[in-house]
Amino acid sequence: VHGEQLQQKLDEVEAQSLEYRNKLAYALADIENVRKISKKDVAAAREYALKGFGKELLDVADNLDRTLGIFPAEAKQSDHGLFGIYEGIKMTGDLLLKVFNKHNITKMELTANETVFDPNFHNALFQSQVPGMEAGIVCS
């Protein structure tokens, strides 16, 4: 009888041990899942923040281009008094474009006034009617 009780107790302990091992395995799997999800969430948050930052820097690049556009042609000559300022702004814009290229942000040039708006490639702040142009056409 004593041996049967010991065997029964041993079976109970083994069953309980198996139950605890299973719970441990599930807990470890849950921890690993939480770690993977957290890693993805951090990467997504970082990417979202960088995209927002990059979009804001696109406005800076546009303003640098506009600034270069106001210089008269003679200011682009090395003997002109404004040449240093012009060249400094141009170098800043070129450096910004290199940083964009490094991060796969490319400048899209409008080749004609007939470029149709494509939400996969364009971002628009607003839409307005331009006389002589169809709706949905990208212009600067």
Side-chain angles (χ1 to χ4, degrees), residues 6-140:
L6 285 176
Q7 185 60 45
Q8 183 181 5
K9 189 67 173 171
L10 179 62
D11 291 343
E12 289 174 13
V13 169
E14 285 178 349
Q16 192 176 26
S17 173
L18 180 61
E19 179 185 345
Y20 289 148
R21 280 186 289 190
N22 287 339
K23 286 182 178 182
L24 177 62
Y26 285 124
L28 291 174
D30 282 345
I31 290 170
E32 183 62 20
N33 288 338
V34 167
R35 189 189 66 76
K36 287 178 182 178
I37 291 169
S38 297
K39 188 175 180 179
K40 284 181 185 178
D41 287 349
V42 167
R46 182 177 293 127
E47 182 178 341
Y48 179 78
L50 288 175
K51 281 183 180 179
F53 183 67
K55 284 181 181 182
E56 289 183 22
L57 284 179
L58 288 173
D59 291 337
V60 173
D62 289 344
N63 284 333
L64 288 172
D65 283 344
R66 286 187 200 100
T67 302
L68 289 174
I70 65 169
F71 280 90
E74 55 272 6
K76 299 172 187 177
Q77 304 301 319
S78 61
D79 60 345
H80 194 275
L82 294 176
F83 178 74
I85 295 171
Y86 172 82
E87 198 61 24
I89 293 170
K90 186 175 180 310
M91 287 175 16
T92 302
D94 291 345
L95 181 60
L96 187 56
L97 288 178
K98 283 182 184 178
V99 171
F100 284 158
N101 287 332
K102 181 180 176 183
H103 295 281
N104 297 319
I105 300 171
T106 56
K107 184 176 182 180
M108 294 181 66
E109 298 290 339
L110 291 177
T111 55
N113 286 338
E114 299 301 316
T115 303
V116 178
F117 180 79
D118 182 350
N120 295 311
F121 296 107
H122 302 111
N123 283 323
L125 298 177
F126 57 88
Q127 179 176 223
S128 63
Q129 185 62 42
V130 177
M133 290 185 74
E134 295 179 32
I137 302 298
V138 178
C139 60
S140 56

